Amino acid sequence: MNTLQLYISKSSRDNVRLAEINPTDEGRRAAVDMKAAVSMVDYAPSAKMAFFIVVNMPGGYAIHVIRTIPPTRPNHLDATVYIDKNLDVMAEDLEEVLSRVTDIVLAKAVTEKEMAELNRLFGREYDLCDKAPRIKSSRGKDIALLQYGDNSGRSLGDILNEGIYRAEWSGYKAVVLLDDSVSTLGNSMVNLDDPEEEPDADEDGPDDDGNAVTQRKAASKSRSYIFSLPISTPDGRTALEFEVESSKPMTHSPVAGFVISGRPQTGPDAVNRLHKGNSRQTAANVLWGIAGLALGMLVMFIAGLFSDGPGSAGPQDSYVEAPTAEQADVSKATEATAYLDNNRIWNRDDMENIDGLAGLFDDMNNYRFEIITDKWASSLGASKNFAKVIRAANDAINKNSDPRRAADHNPTYNREGDYAISWRGYTYWIDP
């Protein structure tokens, strides 16, 4: 099954496994006792709090959802979410899973009802990556810290959007993700917000099999960076890898509108993943924009070859035939479905400015399932992504489920002022 895995354990005097969902041998090896890392977080023994610990494995990566158990430090409950590297899990889906798992483990006890909910949550199947990333196992001696919250200027969602797997994190035994409202021991963990403390990925060190490998030094004249750019194709999502040679260290993305997950790393095994930044332009749009610019320049060049030039006696009248109404409708539909299929997050401002999408966001946000399955299904049914929204809306009608069952989604799916919807997360919510 193409699913996430969950392992719930209790760590006190011993480490005891309490429950497993979709277990595998690799996942079980990832669900180890994290007492050493937990002991480095400076929290009051009487406090019941949650934070996350990330560990990379050869076949994927594990996010340990840690809940402290008062009154003894570092006793804790650990709900380990293991993600196989072959699964294509969107950041917003992972954030939803971590949020619900955190809510459940923070409760006094995990009830049968909550276990049933976890089984449904981890029963979701995900697409497979066209090309699985190369994972560097966590092998360092130090524990690293990355904080999020009001003071840091980043949220947990921001961290997930940049990519929870980062090659540079593999230089540590584990990475703790902690809300900045919680104090930490000053010298116990390496602070990832301090670039001077990050490990040098160019230093000599063992690979995943324990063999000695020598990577190029930072002082070499030429540095090689491998970048992975997400793109959309008619067959689905994939990644385009390309190499950049630079005489100076790179500090930012070579592709406009995209950012690098962490500090750029060099070497044949270091793949720097690119993610959309503030720009809403997709990778496909970047590539098509480059192709369109090249095509435009070629057309202008050819036209210049056949032009009679100023004062020529050639024909002076020229025109472009206006598209028919039918052609215009097809163009609108193509633009609308392209937006839906090329974006994981649908933004209201974008949709209102695209012919054929104005009003769709509000109908989805207000749970107008009949309009979705009637009006929008007839005009946008060609969209692969929206077809899944239509099916979920149909099931919601048939099941008579209550989408307003939680405060966060009542009376609308989004909170007031939030104008972005993850289409896949939306389908999971209306058709649980």
Side-chain angles (χ1 to χ4, degrees):
M1 294 179 65
N2 303 332
T3 57
L4 301 179
Q5 303 169 36
L6 180 66
Y7 305 85
I8 301 178
S9 307
K10 182 179 180 180
S11 175
S12 52
R13 179 176 300 176
D14 299 310
N15 187 261
V16 181
R17 185 66 46 79
L18 303 178
E20 296 180 339
I21 298 178
N22 308 325
T24 65
D25 290 341
E26 177 84 4
R28 287 188 174 117
R29 285 194 292 271
V32 297
D33 193 352
M34 301 305 295
K35 189 175 295 183
V38 174
S39 66
M40 291 189 177
V41 180
D42 184 20
Y43 62 91
S46 60
K48 185 172 74 171
M49 52 170 287
F51 53 92
F52 308 96
I53 301 176
V54 180
V55 178
N56 299 331
M57 303 283 289
Y61 52 94
I63 304 176
H64 298 259
V65 182
I66 303 296
R67 192 263 277 176
T68 60
I69 300 178
T72 304
R73 300 180 67 251
N75 291 359
H76 63 276
L77 195 68
D78 181 349
T80 303
V81 179
Y82 182 75
I83 302 98
D84 188 283
K85 69 176 183 179
N86 293 293
L87 295 186
D88 183 14
V89 183
M90 295 191 297
E92 57 268 22
D93 293 340
L94 185 55
E95 184 176 12
E96 180 188 357
V97 169
L98 293 177
S99 175
R100 192 64 193 119
V101 169
T102 302
D103 290 342
I104 289 176
V105 299
L106 279 173
K108 289 184 177 180
V110 181
T111 65
E112 290 185 8
K113 180 179 179 180
E114 288 169 333
M115 278 304 303
E117 181 180 350
L118 288 174
N119 275 288
R120 287 194 300 271
L121 188 64
F122 283 81
R124 297 175 179 172
E125 295 208 17
Y126 299 88
D127 296 333
L128 294 177
C129 298
D130 292 327
K131 183 178 181 181
R134 288 175 282 188
I135 302 290
K136 285 185 174 181
S137 298
S138 298
R139 58 174 181 263
K141 297 180 180 179
D142 296 325
I143 305 293
L145 168 69
L146 183 64
Q147 292 185 287
Y148 61 90
D150 294 338
N151 296 326
S152 68
R154 70 170 73 90
S155 66
L156 178 62
D158 294 332
I159 295 174
L160 298 178
N161 279 320
E162 290 182 11
I164 198 66
Y165 169 69
R166 309 182 192 183
E168 64 270 24
W169 287 8
S170 297
Y172 302 104
K173 186 175 182 179
V175 175
V176 175
L177 305 180
L178 186 69
D179 190 296
D180 56 23
S181 63
V182 179
S183 62
T184 60
L185 291 174
N187 299 316
S188 60
M189 289 185 281
V190 175
N191 186 356
L192 291 182
D193 281 326
D194 182 357
E196 296 300 322
E197 295 191 43
E198 292 189 28
D200 188 349
D202 291 327
E203 291 181 354
D204 296 347
D207 61 13
D208 291 342
D209 297 323
N211 299 319
V213 293
T214 303
Q215 299 177 346
R216 275 176 288 189
K217 302 295 181 178
S220 63
K221 294 183 179 180
S222 179
R223 295 171 174 83
S224 175
Y225 296 85
I226 299 175
F227 294 95
S228 176
L229 178 72
I231 62 174
S232 296
T233 71
D235 297 323
R237 297 176 60 254
T238 184
L240 172 68
E241 286 193 2
F242 60 95
E243 187 172 1
V244 175
E245 292 283 344
S246 176
S247 59
K248 297 180 180 180
M250 296 191 68
T251 58
H252 60 277
S253 167
V255 180
F258 285 76
V259 296
I260 304 172
S261 297
R263 189 175 65 172
Q265 302 295 308
T266 62
D269 295 325
V271 178
N272 299 283
R273 298 172 61 191
L274 301 177
H275 300 272
K276 284 191 293 185
N278 294 329
S279 171
R280 297 193 183 105
Q281 188 179 31
T282 63
N285 289 338
V286 171
L287 296 179
W288 280 112
I290 295 173
L293 178 61
L295 180 60
M297 294 175 65
L298 179 61
V299 170
M300 292 174 64
F301 176 75
I302 294 174
L305 290 178
F306 288 93
S307 172
D308 292 324
S312 69
Q316 299 299 311
D317 296 331
S318 63
Y319 66 94
V320 177
E321 185 176 352
T324 65
E326 182 178 356
Q327 289 172 329
D329 287 342
V330 170
S331 177
K332 292 178 183 178
T334 301
E335 183 183 8
T337 55
Y339 177 85
L340 298 179
D341 286 337
N342 289 334
N343 292 277
R344 294 176 171 182
I345 305 294
W346 298 345
N347 187 281
R348 186 181 187 278
D349 292 340
D350 292 341
M351 298 166 75
E352 291 298 307
N353 290 312
I354 297 176
D355 287 333
L357 292 183
L360 174 58
F361 181 94
D362 291 336
D363 287 338
M364 290 177 61
N365 195 35
N366 288 280
Y367 308 117
R368 296 170 184 149
F369 299 142
E370 290 80 5
I371 297 178
I372 292 174
T373 56
D374 183 14
K375 169 189 171 182
W376 295 111
S378 62
S379 62
L380 299 173
S383 164
K384 178 181 66 176
N385 290 347
F386 193 68
K388 296 177 183 178
V389 175
I390 296 170
R391 286 197 296 271
N394 264 317
D395 289 341
I397 294 173
N398 295 333
K399 295 177 182 178
N400 197 28
S401 59
D402 179 16
R404 298 175 175 85
R405 58 187 178 273
D408 288 350
H409 298 290
N410 186 13
T412 59
Y413 178 75
N414 279 3
R415 294 177 178 177
E416 185 177 355
D418 184 1
Y419 299 112
I421 282 182
S422 160
W423 69 265
R424 185 171 292 178
Y426 181 83
T427 62
Y428 289 153
W429 180 256
I430 66 174
D431 181 28

Coordinates of all heavy atoms in Angstrom, one line a residue, residues 202-232:
D202 N 31.2 19.4 2.5 CA 32.3 19.0 1.6 C 33.4 18.3 2.3 O 34.4 17.9 1.7 CB 32.9 20.3 1.0 CG 31.9 20.9 0.0 OD1 31.2 20.1 -0.7 OD2 31.9 22.1 -0.1
E203 N 33.3 18.1 3.6 CA 34.3 17.4 4.4 C 34.3 15.9 4.1 O 33.3 15.4 3.7 CB 34.1 17.7 5.9 CG 34.4 19.1 6.3 CD 34.3 19.3 7.8 OE1 33.8 18.4 8.4 OE2 34.5 20.4 8.3
D204 N 35.4 15.3 4.4 CA 35.4 13.8 4.2 C 34.6 13.2 5.2 O 34.5 13.6 6.4 CB 36.9 13.3 4.3 CG 37.8 13.9 3.3 OD1 37.3 14.4 2.3 OD2 39.0 13.7 3.4
G205 N 33.9 12.1 4.8 CA 33.1 11.4 5.8 C 32.6 10.1 5.2 O 32.6 9.9 4.0
P206 N 32.0 9.2 6.0 CA 31.5 7.9 5.5 C 30.2 8.1 4.8 O 29.4 8.9 5.1 CB 31.3 7.1 6.8 CG 31.1 8.1 7.8 CD 31.8 9.3 7.4
D207 N 30.0 7.2 3.8 CA 28.7 7.2 3.1 C 27.7 6.3 3.8 O 28.1 5.8 4.9 CB 28.8 6.9 1.6 CG 29.4 5.4 1.4 OD1 29.4 4.7 2.4 OD2 29.7 5.1 0.3
D208 N 26.5 6.0 3.3 CA 25.5 5.2 4.0 C 26.0 3.8 4.2 O 25.5 3.1 5.1 CB 24.2 5.2 3.2 CG 23.6 6.6 3.2 OD1 23.9 7.4 4.0 OD2 22.7 6.8 2.3
D209 N 27.0 3.3 3.4 CA 27.5 2.0 3.6 C 28.7 1.9 4.5 O 29.3 0.8 4.7 CB 27.8 1.3 2.2 CG 26.5 1.2 1.4 OD1 25.5 1.0 1.9 OD2 26.6 1.5 0.1
G210 N 29.1 3.1 5.0 CA 30.3 3.1 5.9 C 31.6 3.2 5.2 O 32.7 3.2 5.8
N211 N 31.6 3.3 3.8 CA 32.8 3.5 3.1 C 33.3 4.9 3.1 O 32.5 5.9 3.1 CB 32.6 3.1 1.6 CG 32.2 1.6 1.5 OD1 32.7 0.8 2.2 ND2 31.2 1.3 0.6
A212 N 34.6 5.1 3.1 CA 35.2 6.5 3.1 C 35.0 7.1 1.7 O 35.2 6.5 0.7 CB 36.6 6.4 3.4
V213 N 34.5 8.3 1.7 CA 34.3 9.0 0.4 C 34.9 10.4 0.6 O 34.9 11.0 1.7 CB 32.8 9.2 0.0 CG1 32.2 7.9 -0.3 CG2 32.0 9.9 1.2
T214 N 35.6 10.9 -0.4 CA 36.2 12.2 -0.4 C 35.5 13.1 -1.4 O 35.4 12.8 -2.6 CB 37.7 12.1 -0.8 OG1 38.3 11.2 0.0 CG2 38.3 13.5 -0.8
Q215 N 34.8 14.1 -0.9 CA 34.1 15.1 -1.7 C 35.0 16.3 -1.9 O 36.0 16.6 -1.2 CB 32.8 15.5 -1.0 CG 31.9 14.3 -0.8 CD 30.6 14.7 -0.1 OE1 30.6 15.8 0.5 NE2 29.6 13.8 -0.1
R216 N 34.7 17.1 -2.9 CA 35.5 18.3 -3.2 C 35.4 19.3 -2.1 O 34.4 19.5 -1.5 CB 34.9 18.9 -4.5 CG 35.5 18.3 -5.8 CD 34.9 18.8 -7.0 NE 33.5 18.4 -7.1 CZ 32.8 18.6 -8.2 NH1 33.3 19.2 -9.2 NH2 31.6 18.1 -8.3
K217 N 36.5 19.9 -1.8 CA 36.6 20.9 -0.8 C 36.0 22.2 -1.2 O 35.9 22.5 -2.4 CB 38.1 21.1 -0.5 CG 38.9 19.9 0.0 CD 38.3 19.3 1.3 CE 39.1 18.1 1.7 NZ 38.6 17.6 3.0
A218 N 35.5 23.0 -0.2 CA 34.9 24.2 -0.5 C 35.9 25.2 -1.2 O 35.5 26.1 -1.9 CB 34.3 24.8 0.7
A219 N 37.2 25.0 -1.0 CA 38.2 25.9 -1.5 C 38.5 25.6 -3.0 O 39.4 26.2 -3.5 CB 39.4 25.9 -0.7
S220 N 38.0 24.5 -3.6 CA 38.3 24.2 -4.9 C 37.9 25.2 -5.9 O 37.0 26.0 -5.6 CB 37.7 22.8 -5.3 OG 36.3 22.9 -5.3
K221 N 38.5 25.3 -7.1 CA 38.3 26.3 -8.0 C 36.9 26.2 -8.6 O 36.2 27.2 -9.0 CB 39.3 26.3 -9.1 CG 40.7 26.7 -8.6 CD 41.7 26.8 -9.7 CE 43.1 27.2 -9.2 NZ 44.1 27.2 -10.3
S222 N 36.4 25.0 -8.8 CA 35.1 24.8 -9.4 C 34.2 23.9 -8.5 O 34.6 22.9 -8.0 CB 35.2 24.1 -10.8 OG 34.0 23.9 -11.4
R223 N 33.0 24.4 -8.4 CA 32.0 23.6 -7.5 C 30.9 23.2 -8.4 O 30.4 23.9 -9.3 CB 31.5 24.5 -6.4 CG 32.5 25.0 -5.4 CD 32.0 26.0 -4.5 NE 32.9 26.4 -3.4 CZ 33.9 27.2 -3.5 NH1 34.1 27.8 -4.7 NH2 34.7 27.5 -2.5
S224 N 30.4 21.9 -8.1 CA 29.3 21.4 -8.9 C 28.1 21.2 -8.0 O 28.1 20.6 -7.0 CB 29.7 20.0 -9.5 OG 28.6 19.4 -10.1
Y225 N 27.0 21.8 -8.5 CA 25.7 21.8 -7.7 C 24.7 21.1 -8.6 O 24.5 21.4 -9.8 CB 25.2 23.2 -7.4 CG 26.1 24.0 -6.5 CD1 27.2 24.7 -7.0 CD2 25.9 24.0 -5.1 CE1 28.0 25.5 -6.2 CE2 26.7 24.8 -4.3 CZ 27.7 25.5 -4.8 OH 28.5 26.2 -4.0
I226 N 24.0 20.1 -8.0 CA 22.9 19.4 -8.7 C 21.6 19.9 -8.1 O 21.4 19.9 -6.9 CB 23.0 17.9 -8.5 CG1 24.3 17.4 -9.1 CG2 21.8 17.2 -9.2 CD1 24.5 15.9 -8.9
F227 N 20.7 20.4 -9.0 CA 19.4 20.9 -8.6 C 18.3 20.0 -9.1 O 18.4 19.5 -10.2 CB 19.2 22.4 -9.1 CG 20.2 23.3 -8.4 CD1 21.3 23.7 -9.1 CD2 19.9 23.9 -7.2 CE1 22.2 24.6 -8.5 CE2 20.7 24.8 -6.6 CZ 21.9 25.1 -7.3
S228 N 17.2 19.9 -8.3 CA 16.0 19.2 -8.7 C 14.8 20.1 -8.8 O 14.5 20.7 -7.8 CB 15.8 18.0 -7.7 OG 14.6 17.3 -8.1
L229 N 14.3 20.3 -10.0 CA 13.2 21.2 -10.2 C 11.9 20.5 -10.5 O 11.8 19.6 -11.4 CB 13.5 22.1 -11.4 CG 12.4 23.1 -11.8 CD1 12.4 24.3 -10.8 CD2 12.8 23.7 -13.2
P230 N 10.8 20.6 -9.6 CA 9.6 19.9 -9.9 C 8.9 20.5 -11.1 O 8.8 21.7 -11.3 CB 8.8 20.2 -8.6 CG 9.3 21.5 -8.1 CD 10.8 21.5 -8.5
I231 N 8.4 19.6 -12.0 CA 7.7 20.0 -13.2 C 6.4 19.1 -13.4 O 6.3 18.0 -12.8 CB 8.5 19.9 -14.5 CG1 9.0 18.5 -14.7 CG2 9.7 20.9 -14.4 CD1 9.7 18.3 -16.0
S232 N 5.5 19.6 -14.1 CA 4.3 18.9 -14.5 C 4.3 18.5 -15.9 O 4.7 19.3 -16.8 CB 3.0 19.7 -14.2 OG 2.9 20.0 -12.8

